[in-house]
């Protein structure tokens, strides 16, 4: 887990060590244990290191294999690297380090771009080939590790964070109108390749991009989700599916134990994180550290789920850390949490993960977390109505989207409003793709491979890496997801959602954490904005910079200021927090 960056100048131009150093320095929190820069002619890589596997300097990056003519900058973790290393050694490759970075490089030397299909893990990496002059950029199947791009006429820069690209200078910071539409419609989700800024894009998940010395490039999608089911699948009993999912999840959790430092768990007390704790206990991990966070209640809405996390911690005898954040402390840390976002993300639990990661990083470097279970196993409220839907695109948007096109026109100034409903059009295109015929499957596919990438997964990466903490997500093991996609949607929708996963959990954890209402990471103060929080968002939205930018209609803002609690989105979010968060993010990034 680290931060990577680089610059590739076309037609024989020279890469700038100064720009690469600025990007590298901007990512210092992602990798507090070391830094490196390699510049050779038209190509330069930068790296910030968080030592998790092979703690020696032999695994420092950027990693150069002179004999193979390859240089790599890598962010992530390859969980099956010991097995791959043994296979590559048997094929005649010699290793100078004991970590996973060099394994990727040797795999590339052996198989070229097909090496990616051999990797189990989360990763974003850049490889430069001396012989061909090509730069290759690669992102993992679920976009767990980020990769941002700034493309110019004669060069491309890349980095693990958008702010790092801004630090390099010369980036077009105009607002992308289609991205703004997505942000305002889709609860801040902006699908790749767009970002809110016109001059920055992101490499889509499961993508390999080849960039030649002349700037010509091509993309290949190396993995796609498939929801087709065989006749054998259709005949399986629920108990067989349960046992298959349990075994796949055991393998996934076991894979994510690989590290040369201890591995803990972010324990919310919900079924997902509780199941991870139970499976780690089955694997015999002793002295497991678990961490939970809570906030002050507001308007009678509780700000923690400690009763459930305490139950699991006691059941498995974990070294449990319970962290309570007073409202004033949360408010004081909001600007830093917003600065840590590579893109504006409206979900309240950003600040929760930010402060939880701050505390966790004081005692541990690696955690497992439960993100992805709701998207993979149908845990959200909008899936059941789709089961009998004759208009899945419209029904999905009605349950998920924060605004219709008509309401958007009343909220966003005309200069920033696209001529059509870009977000609805995106969903329609995605739902029409082959490989998922059932409306529930269509929704699960877009949520797992689009929404999840650019909301929950991005949120966890940004907030944990702001404190040099690595978060691993076992529910996004690609083999587990491939199996889950084949499970009939009726088994996932059962028991109020995640039925098959709840059946799995009953084999491992106490029923008290399974048979209860679905919980969220509660931060009531950001839902019911009042007092100092209202002053904070009003100041941001009425500042000179906000007025000059003119994103939102004045009459709409005045309506929000007058009664924030009256304007809550279908996903129980505050409209005022949504618009304020975007403006505050732009200001924190110096835009």
């Amino acid at each position: 887990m680290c931060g990577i960056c680089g610059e590739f100048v076309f037609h024989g131009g020279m890469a700038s060590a100064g720009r690469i150093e600025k990007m590298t320095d901007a990512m210092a929190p992602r990798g507090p244990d070391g830094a490196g820069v390699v510049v050779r002619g038209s190509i330069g890589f930068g790296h910030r290191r968080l030592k998790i596997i092979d703690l020696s300097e032999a695994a420092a990056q950027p990693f150069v294999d002179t004999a193979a003519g390859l240089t790599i900058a890598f962010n992530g973790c390859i969980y099956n690297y010991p097995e791959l290393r043994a296979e590559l050694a048997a094929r005649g490759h010699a290793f100078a380090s004991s970590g996973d970075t060099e394994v990727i490089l040797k795999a590339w030397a052996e198989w070229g771009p097909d090496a990616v299909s051999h990797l189990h893990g989360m990763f974003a990496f850049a490889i430069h080939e001396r012989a061909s002059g090509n730069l290759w950029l690669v992102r993992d199947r679920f976009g767990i590790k980020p990769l941002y791009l700034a493309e110019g006429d004669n060069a491309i820069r890349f980095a693990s964070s958008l702010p790092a690209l801004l630090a390099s200078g010369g980036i077009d910071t105009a607002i992308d109108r289609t991205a703004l539409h997505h942000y305002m419609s889709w609860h801040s989700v902006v699908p790749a390749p767009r970002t809110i800024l016109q001059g920055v894009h992101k490499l889509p998940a499961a993508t390999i991009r080849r960039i030649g010395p002349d700037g010509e490039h091509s993309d290949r999608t190396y993995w796609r989700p498939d929801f087709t089911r065989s006749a054998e699948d259709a005949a399986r009993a629920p108990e067989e599916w349960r046992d298959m999912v349990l075994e796949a999840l055991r393998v996934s959790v076991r894979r994510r134990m690989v590290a040369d430092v201890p591995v803990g768990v972010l324990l919310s007390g919900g079924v997902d994180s509780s199941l991870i704790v139970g499976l780690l206990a089955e694997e015999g991990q002793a002295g497991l550290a678990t961490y939970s966070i809570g906030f002050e209640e507001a308007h009678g809405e509780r700000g923690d789920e400690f009763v459930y996390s305490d139950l699991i911690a006691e059941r498995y005898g974990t070294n449990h850390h319970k962290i309570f954040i007073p409202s004033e402390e949360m408010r004081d840390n909001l600007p830093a949490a917003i600065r840590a976002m590579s893109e504006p993300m409206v979900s309240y639990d950003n600040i929760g993960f930010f402060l939880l990661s701050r505390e966790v990083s004081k005692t541990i470097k690696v955690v497992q977390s439960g993100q992805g279970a709701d998207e993979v196993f149908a845990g959200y409220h909008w899936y059941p109505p789709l089961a009998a839907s004759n208009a899945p695109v419209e029904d999905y948007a009605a349950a998920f989207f924060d605004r219709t096109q008509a309401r958007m026109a009343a909220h966003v100034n005309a200069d920033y409003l696209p001529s059509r409903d870009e977000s609805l059009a995106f969903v329609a295109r995605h739902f029409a793709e082959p490989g998922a015929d059932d409306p529930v499957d269509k929704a699960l596919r877009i949520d797992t491979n689009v929404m999840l990438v650019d909301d929950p997964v991005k949120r966890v990466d940004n907030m944990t890496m702001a404190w040099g903490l690595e978060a691993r997500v076992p529910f996004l093991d690609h083999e587990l997801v491939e199996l889950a996609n084949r499970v009939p949607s009726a088994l996932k929708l059962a028991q109020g959602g995640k039925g098959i996963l709840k059946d799995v959990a009953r084999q491992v954890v106490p029923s008290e954490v399974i048979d209860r209402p679905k919980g969220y990471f509660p931060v009531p103060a950001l839902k019911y904005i009042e007092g100092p929080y209202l002053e904070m968002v009003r100041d941001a939205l009425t500042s000179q910079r906000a007025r000059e930018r003119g994103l939102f209609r004045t009459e709409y803002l005045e309506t929000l200021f007058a009664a924030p609690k009256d304007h809550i989105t279908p996903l129980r979010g505050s409209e005022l927090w949504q618009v304020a968060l975007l403006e505050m993010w732009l200001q924190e990034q110096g835009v």
Side-chain angles (χ1 to χ4, degrees):
M1 288 288 280
C2 309
I4 66 171
C5 63
E7 181 178 56
F8 188 28
V9 182
F10 311 137
H11 306 294
M14 303 294 287
S16 166
R19 279 193 293 268
I20 295 168
E21 287 170 357
K22 287 178 180 178
M23 291 190 286
T24 304
D25 290 345
M27 295 186 296
R30 295 186 69 94
D33 297 332
V37 172
V38 170
V39 180
R40 290 180 177 169
S42 63
I43 188 77
F45 288 169
H47 188 265
R48 292 293 317 201
R49 186 181 183 195
L50 179 66
K51 294 182 179 180
I52 302 296
I53 294 174
D54 188 348
L55 309 186
S56 74
E57 289 306 303
Q61 295 190 56
F63 194 102
V64 181
D65 188 324
T66 304
L70 299 173
T71 302
I72 186 172
F74 160 57
N75 169 32
C77 183
I78 306 303
Y79 304 124
N80 65 328
Y81 84 92
E83 297 88 344
L84 274 177
R85 179 189 172 97
E87 179 180 353
L88 290 162
R91 291 171 176 264
H93 292 275
F95 290 83
S97 70
S98 61
D100 52 349
T101 303
E102 189 178 9
V103 170
I104 299 174
L105 212 56
K106 299 297 186 183
W108 197 275
E110 180 68 27
W111 296 303
D114 290 339
V116 178
S117 65
H118 296 259
L119 305 180
H120 289 274
M122 52 183 183
F123 48 86
F125 61 81
I127 288 179
H128 183 251
E129 297 173 335
R130 183 181 61 209
S132 68
N134 288 330
L135 171 68
W136 298 84
L137 302 176
V138 182
R139 197 172 178 201
D140 67 63
R141 295 166 181 86
F142 295 100
I144 301 169
K145 293 291 96 192
L147 195 57
Y148 290 90
L149 314 171
E151 303 170 62
D153 292 337
N154 198 49
I156 184 170
R157 280 174 255 166
F158 62 88
S160 295
S161 76
L162 188 152
L165 287 175
L166 292 179
S168 69
I171 304 296
D172 178 3
T173 59
I175 301 296
D176 183 309
R177 295 195 307 165
T178 298
L180 177 63
H181 195 286
H182 291 325
Y183 175 90
M184 296 288 287
S185 291
W186 211 348
H187 211 59
S188 84
V189 173
V190 177
R194 297 181 185 275
T195 75
I196 201 70
L197 304 182
Q198 286 186 9
V200 181
H201 293 91
K202 50 205 173 195
L203 189 70
T207 297
I208 302 172
R209 174 170 294 183
R210 183 196 63 80
I211 307 172
D214 59 356
E216 179 270 332
H217 74 271
S218 60
D219 285 0
R220 174 162 72 90
T221 301
Y222 64 87
W223 182 89
R224 295 181 187 276
D226 186 2
F227 285 80
T228 57
R229 299 176 179 92
S230 66
E232 184 181 7
D233 286 339
R236 293 187 197 279
E239 293 77 16
E240 186 178 359
W241 282 116
R242 178 199 65 197
D243 294 344
M244 291 169 66
V245 171
L246 175 56
E247 180 54 31
L249 189 54
R250 281 189 173 125
V251 171
S252 178
V253 168
R254 190 180 305 133
R255 280 175 176 156
R256 283 153 183 79
M257 294 175 68
V258 61
D260 294 332
V261 296
V263 180
V265 177
L266 302 182
L267 177 60
S268 69
V271 63
D272 312 328
S273 59
S274 298
L275 185 50
I276 293 172
V277 171
L279 292 174
L280 284 169
E282 279 190 359
E283 293 295 326
Q285 180 162 330
L288 177 64
T290 53
Y291 304 83
S292 302
I293 193 169
F295 299 89
E296 290 182 18
E297 67 174 49
H299 289 269
E301 188 167 310
R302 191 172 177 84
D304 68 75
E305 293 193 316
F306 288 153
V307 62
Y308 299 110
S309 57
D310 286 352
L311 188 155
I312 292 297
E314 183 177 353
R315 169 69 175 267
Y316 294 103
T318 69
N319 176 18
H320 191 50
H321 305 254
K322 195 159 53 175
I323 302 155
F324 181 79
I325 304 296
S327 183
E328 184 177 349
E329 182 178 358
M330 182 180 73
R331 189 170 64 252
D332 290 344
N333 281 274
L334 270 174
I338 293 169
R339 277 195 302 276
M341 298 177 185
S342 273
E343 299 174 69
M345 295 177 285
V346 75
S347 295
Y348 306 136
D349 57 4
N350 279 288
I351 184 63
F353 277 113
F354 182 79
L355 292 173
L356 179 60
S357 299
R358 180 190 69 183
E359 298 306 309
V360 173
S361 67
K362 294 175 181 177
T363 56
I364 206 167
K365 283 188 172 183
V366 184
V367 290
Q368 295 202 32
S369 185
Q371 274 64 44
D374 286 307
E375 292 82 359
V376 172
F377 291 101
Y380 292 127
H381 70 271
W382 53 85
Y383 299 127
L386 288 170
S389 174
N390 293 318
V393 172
E394 292 76 11
D395 290 345
Y396 176 87
F400 197 132
F401 280 9
D402 293 330
R403 291 166 179 81
T404 63
Q405 181 73 356
R407 292 187 69 233
M408 183 84 71
H411 297 171
V412 175
N413 273 320
D415 289 346
Y416 290 103
L417 189 69
S419 59
R420 66 168 187 164
D421 191 331
E422 294 286 354
S423 303
L424 195 67
F426 183 97
V427 174
R429 288 195 304 274
H430 203 280
F431 274 31
E433 292 176 1
D437 297 327
D438 177 77
V440 174
D441 289 342
K442 293 177 185 292
L444 290 170
R445 181 176 62 180
I446 199 171
D447 286 353
T448 302
N449 298 278
V450 178
M451 183 271 281
L452 180 72
V453 174
D454 275 297
D455 189 10
V457 161
K458 182 167 64 183
R459 185 188 326 153
V460 172
D461 172 83
N462 286 190
M463 298 300 105
T464 55
M465 291 306 290
W467 299 99
L469 178 68
E470 174 177 316
R472 300 175 175 180
V473 281
F475 287 104
L476 293 183
D477 183 280
H478 74 274
E479 291 183 345
L480 171 65
V481 174
E482 288 170 351
L483 173 62
N485 290 350
R486 290 162 44 207
V487 175
S489 59
L491 294 181
K492 293 180 236 185
L493 295 176
Q495 305 174 53
K498 292 197 294 195
I500 184 69
L501 190 62
K502 290 175 181 177
D503 286 341
V504 166
R506 292 183 210 286
Q507 312 301 303
V508 182
V509 300
S511 60
E512 293 93 325
V513 301
I514 302 170
D515 301 313
R516 69 178 184 93
K518 178 176 174 56
Y520 293 89
F521 215 149
V523 189
L526 296 183
K527 179 178 178 181
Y528 304 107
I529 297 176
E530 57 190 3
Y533 290 95
L534 181 55
E535 294 175 16
M536 174 187 290
V537 301
R538 188 195 298 270
D539 287 346
L541 288 165
T542 59
S543 66
Q544 181 177 346
R545 291 169 72 182
R547 291 196 306 271
E548 291 171 350
R549 202 182 330 268
L551 289 175
F552 309 112
R553 293 184 178 274
T554 302
E555 57 272 24
Y556 173 56
L557 295 180
E558 292 299 332
T559 300
L560 295 181
F561 295 149
K565 295 188 291 294
D566 293 346
H567 301 276
I568 303 298
T569 71
L571 294 188
R572 301 188 292 178
S574 164
E575 288 187 30
L576 178 55
W577 177 245
Q578 184 182 44
V579 297
L581 185 278
L582 174 56
E583 182 59 44
M584 288 191 287
W585 182 85
L586 291 168
Q587 293 183 22
E588 290 292 343
Q589 304 303 333
V591 175

